[in-house]
C-alpha cells in the first residue's frame, strides 16, 4: 500500500515534469503562453535543472562548508565576477552582454550569504558596483548617452538582488539550494527531481516495448512450434549467453556517431538507450511467456477452441495470451527497475543519458566529489532512486505472490 | 436409462449408413530426447481401432487410464492427426481435410472434456465463451445471439445470472454444465464426451448424466462416451467398446452386459464394479501384473501378462477382433 503510494507520488512528479516541460516547449513555439512567467510552473523544467543557481558544491540544508572551503568558494566566484565586470564596453551589444554577465556574476555571489559574513559580502558587492561605475566613467557613456539608463538598470538589478527574494520566488530560491549545488553550481534537488521523469520515461518505454515484444515472440514460438520456436530459442539463447551489461554497452556503443548521437536533439539521443535495453531485456518475458504458453497450449480450453474451429492466430491472441497477462505484469515491473538501474550503469560508463540530468549522470559526476567528502549529489541521486526501486520491488513481489498458483487454490 | 430407446436406435442403425465410421485408426506419439532431441521411440496410443457410430446412438469407450481413450476421442474429431487410418463422417472422409474444408464438420462435431477446471478459459465469461462460438459459426443471425446464448444457459440448467460470471465463480458440476453448453453452442449432431463426469462427486455425477440424457433425447445427439467406469457406461450407453493398450478388445451391446461379456479383460472390469453394490468401487488392481509399456507393445495379446486364461498362443500371436453373435466382437483366443 505504502509502496503504491510512493509509486503514485513518483508518477505524479514525473507527469508534472513532463507536462510543464512540454507546455513550455509548446508555449515557445506557438507564443500562446509563457511558462517562465509563472515561477511555479517553471520550477522543474530542463532549463531550471541545467541553470546555475549558486556557487559550486554548496552543501545541502544550509550546512556551512569548512572555513578553508568557504574561502576557496568565495575566491572563485569573486574572481569570476571581477573578470566579467572589468572589461571595457566597446559597443552597445557588448554593453548589454556585459551587463547581463555582471548580473549573472551577482547571482553567483547571491547564493553565498549563508556561507559568508554578510558585511564582507556587501563590501565586495559595493566594490563591484564601483567597477561598473568606472566603466561608465571611462567615457563610453559620454560618447553613448543612451547607455546611461542601461547602466542604471544594472545597478538597480544588482541592488535588488542584495535582498533575498520573497514570496513564491523566495520559497523556490531556498528550495533549489535545499540539497546544495553540484560542481557547476546547479541545484541538486531540481536535478534529482527532474531525473524522476527521465527514469520513468526510460523505464516505461523499455519495459513496455520489451515485454510486448518478448511476450508476443515467446507466445508465438510456443504456440506454433517448429522452426519458429527453434529460431526464437536460438536467438535468445545466443543473446543471453552474453552478459547483459556487455551486450548493453556494445549495443549503445554501436550508435555513437550515428544521427542519434546528437546532443541538440534530446529525444533522439535517448533512442540508443531504448533500443539497446529493449534488445537485451525482451529475453526474460519471452522465456517465461513461452514456457507458460507451452503449458496453456495443452489445456483443454485451447483444445475446445480448436474443436470449435477458430484459427490458430485467434486462439493465440484471445485464449492463450490473455492468460499470460499476470506474467507480463510481473515482468513489466521487473524490467522497469532493471531499465532504471541499467541507465545508471550506462551513464556511469559515459554511454547513458547525454542531454539533461539523470540519476546516472549525477552519480557519475559525483565520483570526484565523493573523494573530497562531498556526498550531497550522489546521496540525492541514490536516495531518489532507492525509494522508486524499493517501491517497485515490493509491488512486483506482491504481484508475484498474488499470481502464484500456490496461493490461488 | 437409455436402454429403452436403444432397441429402436439399433433397428434404424442396422440399415442406415453410420454417422461416424473409423477404420484402422493408428496414433503413434514420437518420444523425443537425448542429443539433438532425436525421436527415440513411439508411444503406441491407438493401435488400429475400427468402429461405427450410428445416428442417435450413444457408444461408450471404456478402459484403464492411459489406454488411449482420449487420444481416440481427439482423433475422431480431428483435434490430433492420425498416423494411419480413415475417419468418415456422414459418408464423407474427413481424414485429409484442411482447416477450411473441415469447418462444416467442426460445427457438427464437438467435445466435452473431463477436467472442469482446465476446460474453461478463466478469462472469458460464460456468455463470452458461448457467444464467441455462436458468432464464429453464424449459428443464428447477429441480432439473436443474446437470446440464443440465454437459451443455451437455461438448457444446461444454469441460472440467467451465470451469463456475466467467470468460470472460477462456479462449482465443478456447474463448470461441467458450462462445458456442455459450449459443446452445444454450435448446435452439433455428434459429441465426444471425454470422461465428462469422472472428475465430479458421485452425487453431482448423476445430475450431469441426467442432464446429458435429457439433452441427448431433446436434441437427437449422437455421443461417443468415454469413461474408465464401466458402470457409468453401462447405464448411459447403447453399445460399448472395451479398450486395452490402444486396442479394442471387445465390443458389445450394453443390454445384459454381465451375461454377454466374454473377453477376460471385460470380465475383470465387471468384477471391479459389482452391480449390486454401487458404493463398492474396488480399484482395477484386482488384476495382477502391469500394463505393458505403450512404447513397446507386445507381439501377442496385450492382455497376456495379466490374463487368468492365458494360453501359449496368446503370447506369440495377436488375437483378431472377431464377430460373435448380434453385434458383439471379441479379440481373444480363449473364446
Ligand atoms: N501428446 C502426447 N504426446 C505423447 N504421448 C501422449 C500424448 N497424448 C497421450 N499420450 C500417451 O498416449 C497414451 C494414451 O493416452 P490417453 O489417450 O490420454 O489415455 P486415456 O485417455 O485412456 O487415459 C498414454 O500412454 C499417454 O501417455
Ligand atoms: S487372447 Fe489370451 S491373453 Fe488375451 S485375453 Fe484372450 S486368453 Fe487372455
Ligand atoms: Mg483420458
Amino acid at each position: 500500500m505504502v509502496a503504491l503510494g510512493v509509486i503514485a507520488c513518483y508518477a505524479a512528479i514525473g507527469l508534472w515534469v513532463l507536462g510543464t516541460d512540454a507546455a513550455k516547449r509548446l508555449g515557445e513555439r506557438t507564443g500562446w503562453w509563457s511558462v517562465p512567467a509563472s515561477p511555479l510552473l517553471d520550477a522543474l523544467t530542463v532549463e531550471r535543472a541545467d541553470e546555475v543557481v549558486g556557487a559550486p558544491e554548496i552543501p545541502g540544508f544550509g550546512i556551512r562548508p569548512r572555513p578553508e572551503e568557504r574561502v576557496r568558494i568565495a575566491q572563485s566566484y569573486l574572481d569570476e565576477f571581477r573578470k566579467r565586470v572589468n572589461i571595457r564596453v566597446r559597443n552597445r551589444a557588448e554593453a548589454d552582454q556585459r551587463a547581463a554577465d555582471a548580473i549573472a556574476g551577482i547571482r553567483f555571489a547571491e547564493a553565498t550569504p549563508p556561507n559568508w559574513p554578510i558585511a564582507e559580502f556587501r563590501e565586495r558587492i559595493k566594490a563591484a558596483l564601483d567597477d561598473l561605475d568606472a566603466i561608465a566613467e571611462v567615457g563610453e557613456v559620454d560618447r553613448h548617452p543612451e547607455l546611461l539608463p542601461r547602466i542604471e538598470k544594472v545597478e538597480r538589478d544588482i541592488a535588488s538582488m542584495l535582498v533575498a527574494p520573497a514570496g513564491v520566488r523566495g520559497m523556490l530560491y531556498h528550495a533549489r539550494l535545499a540539497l546544495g549545488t553540484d560542481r557547476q553550481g546547479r541545484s541538486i534537488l531540481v536535478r534529482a527531481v527532474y531525473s524522476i521523469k527521465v527514469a520513468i520515461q526510460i523505464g516505461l518505454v523499455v519495459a513496455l516495448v520489451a515485454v510486448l515484444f518478448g511476450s508476443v515472440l515467446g507466445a508465438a514460438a510456443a504456440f506454433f512450434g517448429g522452426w519458429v520456436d527453434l529460431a526464437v530459442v536460438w536467438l535468445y539463447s545466443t543473446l543471453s549467453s552474453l552478459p547483459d551489461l556487455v551486450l548493453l554497452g556494445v549495443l549503445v556503443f554501436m550508435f555513437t556517431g550515428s544521427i542519434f548521437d546528437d546532443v541538440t536533439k534530446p529525444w533522439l539521443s535517448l533512442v540508443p538507450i531504448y533500443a539497446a535495453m529493449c534488445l537485451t531485456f525482451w529475453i526474460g518475458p519471452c522465456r517465461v511467456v513461452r514456457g507458460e504458453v507451452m503449458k496453456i497450449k495443452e489445456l483443454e480450453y485451447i483444445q475446445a477452441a480448436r474443436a470449435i474451429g477458430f484459427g490458430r492466430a485467434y486462439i493465440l491472441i484471445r485464449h492463450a495470451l490473455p492468460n499470460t497477462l499476470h506474467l507480463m505484469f510481473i515482468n513489466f515491473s521487473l524490467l522497469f527497475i532493471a531499465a532504471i538501474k541499467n541507465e545508471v550503469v550506462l551513464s556511469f560508463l559515459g554511454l547513458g543519458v547525454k542531454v539533461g540530468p539523470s540519476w546516472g549522470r549525477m552519480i557519475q559526476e559525483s565520483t570526484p566529489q565523493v573523494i573530497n567528502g562531498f556526498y550531497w549529489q550522489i546521496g540525492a541521486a541514490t536516495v531518489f532512486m532507492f525509494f522508486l526501486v524499493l517501491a517497485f520491488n515490493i509491488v512486483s513481489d506482491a504481484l508475484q505472490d498474488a499470481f502464484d498458483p500456490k496461493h490461488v487454490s | 436409462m437409455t436402454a429403452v430407446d436403444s432397441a429402436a436406435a439399433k433397428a434404424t442403425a442396422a440399415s442406415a449408413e453410420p454417422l461416424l465410421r473409423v477404420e484402422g485408426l493408428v496414433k503413434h506419439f514420437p518420444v523425443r530426447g537425448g542429443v539433438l532431441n532425436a525421436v527415440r521411440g513411439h508411444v503406441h496410443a491407438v493401435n488400429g481401432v475400427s468402429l461405427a457410430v450410428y445416428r442417435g446412438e450413444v457408444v461408450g469407450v471404456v478402459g484403464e487410464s492411459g489406454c488411449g481413450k482420449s487420444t481416440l476421442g481427439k482423433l475422431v474429431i480431428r483435434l490430433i492427426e492420425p498416423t494411419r487410418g480413415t475417419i468418415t463422417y456422414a459418408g464423407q472422409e474427413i481424414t485429409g481435410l484442411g482447416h477450411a474444408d473441415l469447418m462444416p464438420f467442426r460445427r457438427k462435431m464437438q467435445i466435452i472434456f473431463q477436467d472442469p477446471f482446465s476446460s474453461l478459459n478463466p478469462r472469458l465469461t460464460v456468455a463470452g465463451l458461448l457467444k464467441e462460438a455462436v458468432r464464429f459459426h453464424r449459428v443464428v443471425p447477429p441480432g439473436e445471439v443474446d437470446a440464443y446464448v440465454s437459451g443455451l444457459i437455461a438448457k444446461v440448467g444454469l441460472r440467467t445470472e451465470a451469463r456475466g460470471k467467470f468460470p472460477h465463480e462456479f462449482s465443478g458440476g456447474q463448470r461441467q454444465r458450462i462445458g456442455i453448453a459450449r459443446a452445444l453452442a454450435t448446435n452439433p449432431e455428434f459429441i465426444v464426451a471425454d470422461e465428462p463426469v469422472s472428475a465430479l462427486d458421485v452425487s453431482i455425477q448423476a445430475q450431469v448424466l441426467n442432464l446429458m440424457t435429457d439433452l441427448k433425447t431433446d436434441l437427437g445427439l449422437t455421443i461417443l462416451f468415454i469413461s474408465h467406469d464401466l458402470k457409468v457406461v453401462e447405464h448411459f450407453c447403447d453399445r460399448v467398446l472395451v479398450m486395452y493398450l490402444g486396442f479394442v478388445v471387445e465390443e458389445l451391446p450394453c443390454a445384459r452386459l454381465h451375461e454377454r461379456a466374454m473377453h477376460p479383460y471385460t470380465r475383470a472390469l465387471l468384477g471391479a464394479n459389482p452391480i449390486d453394490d454401487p458404493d463398492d468401487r474396488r480399484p482395477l488392481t484386482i488384476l495382477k501384473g502391469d500394463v505393458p509399456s505403450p512404447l513397446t507393445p507386445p507381439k501377442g495379446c496385450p492382455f497376456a501378462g495379466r490374463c487368468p486364461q492365458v494360453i501359449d498362443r496368446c503370447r506369440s500371436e495377436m488375437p483378431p477382433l472377431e464377430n460373435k453373435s448380434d453385434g458383439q466382437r471379441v479379440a481373444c483366443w480363449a473364446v
Side-chain angles (χ1 to χ4, degrees), chain A residues 306 308 314 318 322-323, chain B residues 79 106 118 121 123 132 137:
Chain A
R306 288 184 44 218
I308 288 169
Y314 179 87
R318 174 122 167 140
N323 284 296
Chain B
L79 275 184
R106 289 268 185 239
S118 70
N121 184 341
R123 288 196 183 269
E132 184 184 54
H137 282 289

Side-chain angles (χ1 to χ4, degrees), chain A residues 183-198:
Chain A
R183 296 203 103 185
Q184 280 115 71
R186 300 173 299 194
S187 164
I188 289 177
L189 180 67
V190 172
R191 288 176 75 72
V193 172
Y194 186 87
S195 302
I196 292 176
K197 180 215 115 177
V198 181

Side-chain angles (χ1 to χ4, degrees), chain B residues 5 31 34 53 65 67 110 119 131 135 146 159 171 181 248 335:
Chain B
D5 39 31
V31 179
V53 182
S65 163
C67 73
Q110 282 297 314
S119 64
K131 276 186 191 168
R135 291 213 181 100
D146 268 324
R159 294 156 177 264
S171 67
V248 173
V335 292

Side-chain angles (χ1 to χ4, degrees), chain B residues 270-283:
Chain B
L270 283 167
N273 293 298
I275 192 77
D276 38 352
D277 182 5
D279 287 331
D280 181 5
R281 312 188 131 243
R282 269 179 283 153

Side-chain angles (χ1 to χ4, degrees), chain B residues 263-264 301 303-304 307 309-311 314 319 331-334:
Chain B
H263 196 280
C301 174
F303 191 52
C307 182
Q309 287 162 258
V310 62
I311 52 175
C314 305
C332 176
W333 294 123

Side-chain angles (χ1 to χ4, degrees), chain B residues 12-298:
Chain B
T12 50
S15 53
E17 159 84 3
L19 183 62
L20 178 82
R21 179 185 288 284
V22 168
E23 268 157 30
L25 205 58
V26 175
K27 179 66 191 180
H28 293 171
F29 290 108
V31 179
R32 291 172 186 279
V35 270
L36 297 175
N37 216 16
V39 176
R40 293 199 304 185
H42 288 92
V43 175
H44 297 235
V46 172
N47 293 307
V49 168
S50 299
L51 62 94
V53 182
Y54 293 89
R55 233 174 243 281
E57 217 186 359
V58 180
V59 172
V61 177
V62 279
E64 285 162 282
S65 163
C67 73
K69 306 181 298 291
S70 297
T71 308
L72 176 67
K74 288 177 194 163
L75 279 170
V76 299
I77 64 161
R78 287 285 316 272
L79 275 184
I80 48 182
E81 293 305 305
T83 310
R84 270 195 302 283
T86 57
I87 303 152
T88 313
Y89 186 85
Q92 190 178 343
E93 188 179 333
I94 59 167
T95 328
L97 295 185
H99 182 74
D101 295 331
L102 210 50
M103 221 33 92
F105 297 96
R106 289 268 185 239
R107 183 175 165 181
K108 288 180 199 153
M109 310 162 86
Q110 282 297 314
I111 183 162
I112 301 168
F113 289 102
Q114 167 177 10
D115 183 356
F117 290 92
S118 70
S119 64
L120 299 174
N121 184 341
R123 288 196 183 269
L124 287 184
T125 59
V126 173
L129 68 91
L130 294 178
K131 276 186 191 168
E132 184 184 54
V134 175
R135 291 213 181 100
F136 182 74
H137 282 289
R138 295 197 187 82
V139 181
V140 292
E144 294 165 29
V145 171
D146 268 324
Y148 181 82
V149 164
S150 298
L152 273 175
I153 292 172
K155 217 182 259 177
V156 296
L158 290 171
R159 294 156 177 264
T160 333
E161 299 93 84
R163 278 186 73 101
K165 288 190 184 171
F166 287 93
H168 69 261
E169 298 173 65
F170 295 96
S171 67
Q174 288 172 318
R175 280 162 158 258
Q176 207 57 314
R177 286 172 192 267
I178 301 169
I180 293 171
R182 175 182 52 202
L184 296 177
T186 60
N187 201 7
E189 31 187 44
F190 174 72
I191 285 186
V192 173
D194 187 357
E195 312 219 24
V197 294
S198 306
L200 306 177
D201 291 345
V202 182
S203 55
I204 317 266
Q205 281 193 357
Q207 291 175 13
V208 174
L209 278 177
N210 285 339
L211 170 70
M212 287 185 64
T213 313
D214 293 346
L215 289 171
K216 193 217 125 195
T217 26
D218 291 353
L219 306 173
L221 296 173
T222 307
I223 300 176
L224 187 69
F225 187 90
I226 296 170
S227 176
H228 63 261
D229 190 343
L230 190 53
K231 192 165 63 70
V232 172
V233 168
E234 187 186 355
H235 279 80
F236 190 66
C237 303
D238 303 314
R239 210 146 41 88
V240 60
L241 295 156
V242 182
M243 280 184 78
Y244 192 81
L245 202 74
F247 297 93
V248 173
V249 293
E250 179 163 21
E251 175 185 345
L252 73 169
C254 284
R256 303 195 348 267
L257 189 72
H258 284 256
E259 297 156 37
R260 298 175 68 159
M262 292 184 200
H263 196 280
Y265 181 61
T266 317
R267 298 228 57 94
L269 286 180
L270 283 167
N273 293 298
I275 192 77
D276 38 352
D277 182 5
D279 287 331
D280 181 5
R281 312 188 131 243
R282 269 179 283 153
L284 284 172
T285 43
I286 53 158
L287 285 168
K288 288 190 189 67
D290 291 322
V291 185
S293 162
L295 275 166
T296 48

Side-chain angles (χ1 to χ4, degrees), chain A residues 2-336:
Chain A
V2 179
L4 282 179
V6 171
I7 291 177
C9 288
Y10 273 94
I13 297 174
L15 273 179
W16 169 271
V17 172
L18 191 74
T20 52
D21 234 9
K24 189 169 181 179
R25 292 294 96 73
L26 193 68
E28 277 166 9
R29 199 161 302 165
T30 59
W32 290 339
W33 58 71
S34 165
V35 167
S38 157
L40 253 184
L41 284 181
D42 193 36
L44 290 175
T45 53
V46 70
E47 283 81 11
R48 292 293 86 77
D50 281 339
E51 184 185 48
V52 171
V53 296
E57 298 192 359
I58 302 174
F61 297 112
I63 295 172
R64 286 155 171 263
R66 282 164 293 147
E68 62 271 32
E69 189 73 359
R70 284 169 59 200
V71 169
R72 187 178 70 74
I73 295 170
Q75 209 59 55
S76 74
Y77 79 74
L78 203 71
D79 290 349
E80 182 78 8
F81 176 71
R82 285 188 184 283
K83 209 158 64 200
R84 292 182 187 195
V85 171
N86 285 332
I87 291 172
R88 310 247 158 206
V89 179
R90 285 193 200 88
N91 57 43
R92 206 175 138 168
E94 210 178 334
D96 278 353
Q97 186 56 48
R98 293 304 161 208
D101 279 355
I103 294 176
I106 298 291
R107 245 188 231 284
F108 226 73
E110 189 187 25
T112 47
N115 311 328
W116 210 353
I118 194 75
E120 191 184 346
F121 179 71
R122 280 182 192 283
E123 211 168 282
R124 301 283 171 143
I125 293 290
K126 200 162 172 311
L129 287 172
D130 289 345
D131 280 347
L132 215 58
D133 284 343
I135 301 172
E137 274 163 21
V138 170
E140 295 293 326
V141 179
D142 299 338
R143 266 193 280 144
H144 303 285
E146 75 275 12
L147 263 182
L148 195 58
R150 222 172 283 282
I151 287 170
E152 278 168 0
K153 182 172 176 298
V154 171
E155 284 172 2
R156 270 200 315 278
D157 280 351
I158 291 172
S160 80
M161 261 181 268
L162 287 176
V163 189
V168 177
R169 270 174 212 283
M171 208 183 68
L172 289 174
Y173 166 77
H174 289 294
R176 270 184 209 132
L177 290 173
L179 292 183
T181 57
D182 66 4
R183 296 203 103 185
Q184 280 115 71
R186 300 173 299 194
S187 164
I188 289 177
L189 180 67
V190 172
R191 288 176 75 72
V193 172
Y194 186 87
S195 302
I196 292 176
K197 180 215 115 177
V198 181
I200 293 181
Q201 191 177 329
I202 293 176
L204 271 185
V205 172
V206 169
L208 210 65
V209 175
V211 166
L212 281 183
F213 180 71
S215 303
V216 169
L217 217 59
F223 203 74
F224 296 117
W227 66 264
V228 185
D229 194 29
L230 281 180
V232 170
V233 172
W234 178 85
L235 192 65
Y236 76 56
S237 313
T238 311
L239 284 180
S240 60
S241 65
L242 295 166
D244 264 12
L245 208 59
V246 175
L247 189 62
L248 263 182
V250 169
L251 284 171
V252 178
F253 195 70
M254 268 167 36
F255 283 96
T256 42
S258 72
I259 51 159
F260 300 110
D261 195 7
D262 182 352
V263 287
T264 60
K265 300 196 181 71
W267 245 99
L268 274 189
S269 72
L270 281 180
V271 168
I273 303 177
Y274 292 150
M277 287 195 190
C278 290
L279 284 175
T280 317
F281 290 169
W282 64 272
I283 295 169
C286 179
R287 209 178 247 159
V288 212
V289 169
R290 177 175 169 270
E292 185 72 6
V293 171
M294 287 273 203
K295 219 167 65 194
I296 291 175
K297 174 168 97 152
E298 301 301 328
L299 289 182
E300 291 173 344
Y301 64 80
I302 298 290
Q303 310 220 358
R306 288 184 44 218
I308 288 169
F310 297 126
R312 305 220 295 167
Y314 179 87
I315 296 177
L316 174 63
I317 290 165
R318 174 122 167 140
H319 293 269
L321 267 182
N323 284 296
T324 63
L325 262 181
H326 61 292
L327 295 177
M328 296 191 204
F329 278 126
I330 293 167
N331 269 281
F332 178 87
S333 62
L334 292 177
L335 289 192
F336 188 88

